[in-house]
Amino acid sequence: MLKGDKVGLRARHEDDIPILRTELYDDVAGTSRAEGRPWRPVTPGAKDPRLVVDDTEDGSVPFSVVDLGGGTLVGTATLWGIDNHNRSAHIGLGLLPSARGQGYGTDVVAVLCHYGFVVRGLHRLQIETLSDNTAMLRSAERNGFVREGVLRSSAWVMGEFLDDVVLGLLAPEWKPDAQR
């Protein structure tokens, strides 16, 4: 398990899947904002590729996020789009509604930075988020990410176009204790 101050990132357990499906992916508005594609229902019992881990997939490393205080599942985190040649990857996370606003997001980003830069030896990490996602923007910037650009009206979300913000962090710029 990778540990931060508040959270641990561990392998996805089978009993995490129903909780993540119900609390994250069955939320139409939240999933539409997070995934960049239209929400669609998943048949109960079906193997949802967003939740089931394929350990043979090299380009993505999904984690379940747990609170270190009690081991409670609080969300999901992923290092995705891993490009070993260019030594870069993207960061993504989703917190259960009950876990939002408690500083978990900032800690998850910090732990993913440690994993990406120290464990994987990457040079660049990137985050893309909607411009009104102030929690993610704040979590990224507290960890040293820099806004690199805005993709104007690039995301169709629940009946309207929204801007996407691209943030980046390079290994030489990373300060492991930046969020504290």
Side-chain angles (χ1 to χ4, degrees):
M1 180 185 304
L2 299 168
K3 293 183 180 179
D5 291 334
K6 296 181 172 196
V7 299
L9 274 57
R10 63 159 169 76
R12 175 86 28 87
H13 295 173
E14 193 66 34
D15 54 347
D16 295 343
I17 293 174
I19 297 166
L20 294 172
R21 176 178 280 167
T22 301
E23 295 199 33
L24 282 180
Y25 299 115
D26 283 349
D27 171 13
V28 177
T31 299
S32 296
R33 290 178 55 79
E35 294 203 353
R37 60 183 177 204
W39 178 87
R40 55 185 276 187
V42 176
T43 305
K47 296 294 184 192
D48 186 339
R50 298 169 301 175
L51 298 170
V52 176
V53 176
D54 177 0
D55 288 327
T56 64
E57 170 62 43
D58 289 335
S60 179
V61 181
F63 297 96
S64 285
V65 180
V66 295
D67 175 86
L68 287 177
T72 307
L73 180 70
V74 296
T76 182
T78 308
L79 197 67
W80 62 276
I82 299 169
D83 179 339
N84 289 318
H85 176 72
N86 292 304
R87 295 178 48 208
S88 64
H90 302 258
I91 285 178
L93 66 102
L95 296 175
L96 303 180
S98 62
R100 295 175 189 157
Q102 299 179 43
Y104 291 130
T106 299
D107 203 31
V108 169
V109 172
V111 176
L112 286 172
C113 287
H114 172 81
Y115 179 71
F117 292 136
V118 176
V119 177
R120 298 293 299 241
L122 299 176
H123 177 69
R124 174 187 168 77
L125 294 175
Q126 182 171 313
I127 295 173
E128 300 87 11
T129 191
L130 297 174
S131 61
D132 65 352
N133 188 348
T134 55
M136 187 63 195
L137 292 167
R138 189 171 44 250
S139 292
E141 290 171 344
R142 283 184 178 156
N143 279 285
F145 281 79
V146 175
R147 291 183 194 217
E148 296 179 334
V150 175
L151 305 173
R152 298 177 306 137
S153 292
S154 62
W156 178 253
V157 180
M158 300 295 290
E160 66 178 322
F161 283 105
L162 299 173
D163 295 346
D164 267 316
V165 177
V166 177
L167 302 105
L169 180 62
L170 304 179
E173 301 167 344
W174 177 58
K175 296 177 180 57
D177 296 326
Q179 80 282 1
R180 293 180 185 96

